[in-house]
Amino acid sequence: MKKNNILRTGSLMLLLSLFLSTTITVMHAQEVRDAAASKGVKFGSPLFQLYDSDHQQLFRDQISVGTVTAYWKFNTHNNEGYYTWGDTDNAVSFGEQNGWELHGHPLVWGSDTFIPDWVKNKPTWEGEAIMLDHIRTVVGRYRGRIATWDVVNEAIEDDGTYRNCYWNRAMTGEYIAKAFIEAKNADPDAVLLYNDYGIETNGPKFNTVKSMLGWIRSLGAQVDGLGWQLHVDVNDVLDAGFPLEQRMQEISDMGLDNYVTELDVRIPNNSSYWLERQKQAYKKIAEIFLRNPTRGPYFQTWGIADKYTWFNDYDPGNAPHHPLPFGYNFEKKPAYWGLFEAFNEGNEGGDDLRGELRIKNLWSNTYLHQNGGGNSGGIVSLHEYRQSWYSQRWNIESSDAGTYRLRCSWGSNYLNNTGNYNDAPVNVYSLNTGWWSQQWYIENAYNNVYRLKNRWTSKYLHTGNQYNVSTYNGNPNWWSQLWVFEYISQGNRLDTDQILDLTVSPNPATDIIYLNELSENTNYIIYNTSGQVVAEGTGVMIDVHQLTPGTYLLTAFPQDEGYEGIFGRALFVKK
Ligand code: 9MR
């Protein structure tokens, strides 16, 4: 067995002490919460549907800020002179038990739909006292426990006028300023936001929100920031003209912070194509947020899993929209990893390496598998997917010099290069911390597509015949050296999807490429080698002349009947 030369000089005692003292640093699974925290951001969601224990657990695993829905009409004050605290107390306690920061929503909603009848039936001259009493009571009850409040929610119409609600009729638009002033009196330490939807695309509404914020501050209101609800459509977000970044900058220029408070991204259906575009949309919004100079500390979705999206109760057409980062069974969707990639950018290695996964060869579409009965020395080969086989499950563990070890879940032996020559077999072997033959550099080729370079030989994990696994001199265009990471915990294996090996012609390409096996009714996305989308569209004759020379990964999603759950991949070179 080949060993790194350093070992030959070590005494057995030294080796033993080294072995005993060395603790294997298992790469802890990274999640959006950890990645966001590395950017000073708390990721979260409203704390509702808490009766579902699995939903509670998902919150425990995933968030660090929770919104307490303190609706006047539905939760706290639906009857005159009588407050009900059950829901809000429950949510606040749940949040405090888990150490989350809490975000209250909302104190005053600028819409008669969400103002109780007992209030609306009062003469307007009583309105101010009623509103201030409510704010004082609710904020006072949770003073020092709820850190941030949506003081006023949705006070501006889509046409840019102030909403004609009871509060407006009672106090004019000045009710907004009065609400902020009272909230600040009730809890001087609380962060106070104005919260609204649609302002990322609706110009008249955004302009009125901006002018309103300036006006109420001139009336003495202390406003800390703007809550961007961001209930968005995937195509709006991915449109090159999506104005969110510029508009957030305009709010920054006013000296206000920008918070993402209710993000969800609607897609037409749950197909691989739309899930991928949804991922790109989530990633784009998170990147815009991170670039903003006065971004607040919260990045929140509205609900966390499609199972409990608010669209289940309200359908603005073509529900359910599948809008959230987790699915109907609380599985992580590509959207989750879009957020992760954005927040994880620039972190150690920049790669989202973690946990247990399967490793599929892009040429054979079969899986890295150890067939030696779980024993040290077992030969590694490729095998068709077997959901239950632990021999196809691997665990990435960080090692030294930026390398990783890959431990097979069956037998806990490590992926090991057996020889320093092309096509040297690869096996699994018991841990030897000094063996560079068990250490691999993991190079990101595309989204979740990697090359694995052995530290000892600098040769790449490879298959020569779509069955045997060996190492070979690196060749970036060989699919045999490209490996797709499918995280078992991430659940992103497209179980219902078959992956077609597509032919791109001509390849290498100079201007137009053709996807000969598919019809015009095909959506495609082209990634560069850092996993960024460089082109997308519909059709099978694709103009790539604008791409810089290099290697690209094209994914194609045929929309024709009979292609449900199928998508294709092709590597091509642009000259
Ligand atoms: O999702 C919320 C739903 O459960 C409530 O019944 C409803 C009325 O209070 O509010 C929904 O959330 C809204 C949020 O409070 C403000 N922005 C729009 C959200 C979706 O309607």
Side-chain angles (χ1 to χ4, degrees), residues 134 289 391 444 466 504:
H134 178 85
F289 173 74
S391 58
N444 191 325
Q466 301 198 13
V504 167

Side-chain angles (χ1 to χ4, degrees), residues 321-356:
H321 304 302
H322 324 284
L324 291 165
F326 288 84
Y328 296 91
N329 302 306
F330 300 153
E331 76 282 7
K332 292 173 184 171
K333 296 161 56 180
Y336 181 88
W337 299 107
L339 291 178
F340 180 84
E341 287 171 14
F343 285 115
N344 199 49
E345 182 55 42
N347 287 351
E348 179 221 338
D351 276 329
D352 51 359
L353 304 176
R354 59 199 172 288
E356 189 180 30

Side-chain angles (χ1 to χ4, degrees), residues 104 106-108 128 131-144 146-153 174-194 216 220-224:
L107 292 172
V108 175
E128 181 167 347
M131 183 185 82
L132 298 185
D133 171 70
H134 178 85
I135 292 171
R136 219 171 6 252
T137 306
V138 177
V139 176
R141 180 179 183 87
Y142 298 113
R143 180 170 174 167
I146 290 183
T148 301
W149 278 104
D150 293 342
V151 176
V152 175
N153 184 59
E174 287 193 23
Y175 82 90
I176 304 170
K178 294 173 187 284
F180 273 89
I181 292 167
E182 191 59 37
K184 182 54 74 181
N185 292 336
D187 186 349
D189 298 326
V191 171
L192 305 180
L193 308 179
Y194 173 77
I216 64 172
Q222 190 168 323
V223 184
D224 296 298

Side-chain angles (χ1 to χ4, degrees), residues 316-530:
N318 310 319
H321 304 302
H322 324 284
L324 291 165
F326 288 84
Y328 296 91
N329 302 306
F330 300 153
E331 76 282 7
K332 292 173 184 171
K333 296 161 56 180
Y336 181 88
W337 299 107
L339 291 178
F340 180 84
E341 287 171 14
F343 285 115
N344 199 49
E345 182 55 42
N347 287 351
E348 179 221 338
D351 276 329
D352 51 359
L353 304 176
R354 59 199 172 288
E356 189 180 30
L357 71 164
R358 293 185 185 87
I359 304 176
K360 177 172 56 189
N361 185 268
L362 196 60
W363 179 30
S364 65
N365 268 333
T366 52
Y367 291 81
L368 201 67
H369 159 81
Q370 70 108 345
N371 51 15
N375 305 316
S376 176
I379 288 299
V380 169
S381 62
L382 294 172
H383 195 285
E384 293 296 327
Y385 174 71
R386 291 288 183 274
Q387 195 272 341
S388 61
W389 285 11
Y390 278 75
S391 58
Q392 294 185 358
R393 295 182 172 212
W394 300 85
N395 301 269
I396 293 182
E397 299 175 358
S398 60
S399 181
D400 47 354
T403 65
Y404 297 88
R405 293 191 187 91
L406 292 99
R407 174 173 53 80
C408 187
S409 296
W410 189 30
S412 283
N413 294 298
Y414 289 80
L415 193 71
N416 181 60
N417 180 13
T418 66
N420 188 4
Y421 54 90
N422 282 336
D423 269 336
V426 167
N427 67 4
V428 288
Y429 209 85
S430 56
L431 176 66
N432 283 270
T433 51
W435 284 9
W436 287 11
S437 58
Q438 293 183 345
Q439 296 176 0
W440 303 82
Y441 295 101
I442 299 182
E443 300 173 358
N444 191 325
Y446 306 96
N447 267 358
N448 275 358
V449 179
Y450 295 89
R451 292 185 193 88
L452 287 83
K453 183 169 78 173
N454 189 258
R455 186 182 182 191
W456 173 38
T457 64
S458 294
K459 295 182 189 298
Y460 286 79
L461 196 67
H462 167 83
T463 177
N465 59 7
Q466 301 198 13
Y467 176 74
N468 296 326
V469 173
S470 63
T471 55
Y472 207 96
N473 291 339
N475 185 321
N477 298 324
W478 284 5
W479 289 25
S480 57
Q481 296 183 3
L482 291 176
W483 302 85
V484 181
F485 285 5
E486 293 183 350
Y487 293 96
I488 294 160
S489 53
Q490 175 184 357
N492 81 334
R493 187 190 186 286
L494 304 169
D495 272 316
T496 56
D497 286 297
Q498 277 183 334
I499 301 172
L500 298 173
D501 291 342
L502 294 179
T503 305
V504 167
S505 59
N507 187 4
T510 49
D511 44 23
I512 304 293
I513 58 174
Y514 300 87
L515 304 178
N516 301 310
E517 299 113 322
L518 301 175
S519 80
E520 276 299 321
N521 190 18
T522 295
N523 297 325
Y524 65 83
I525 302 175
I526 298 178
Y527 299 93
N528 62 21
T529 50
S530 57

Side-chain angles (χ1 to χ4, degrees), residues 48 71 74 105-106 109 114 153-154 195 229 231 262 302 310 313-314:
F48 47 39
Y71 296 115
F74 304 106
H105 165 86
W109 194 329
F114 302 104
N153 184 59
E154 301 177 23
N195 190 52
Q229 292 186 16
H231 298 290
E262 304 186 14
W302 195 248
W310 64 285
D313 308 319
Y314 166 80

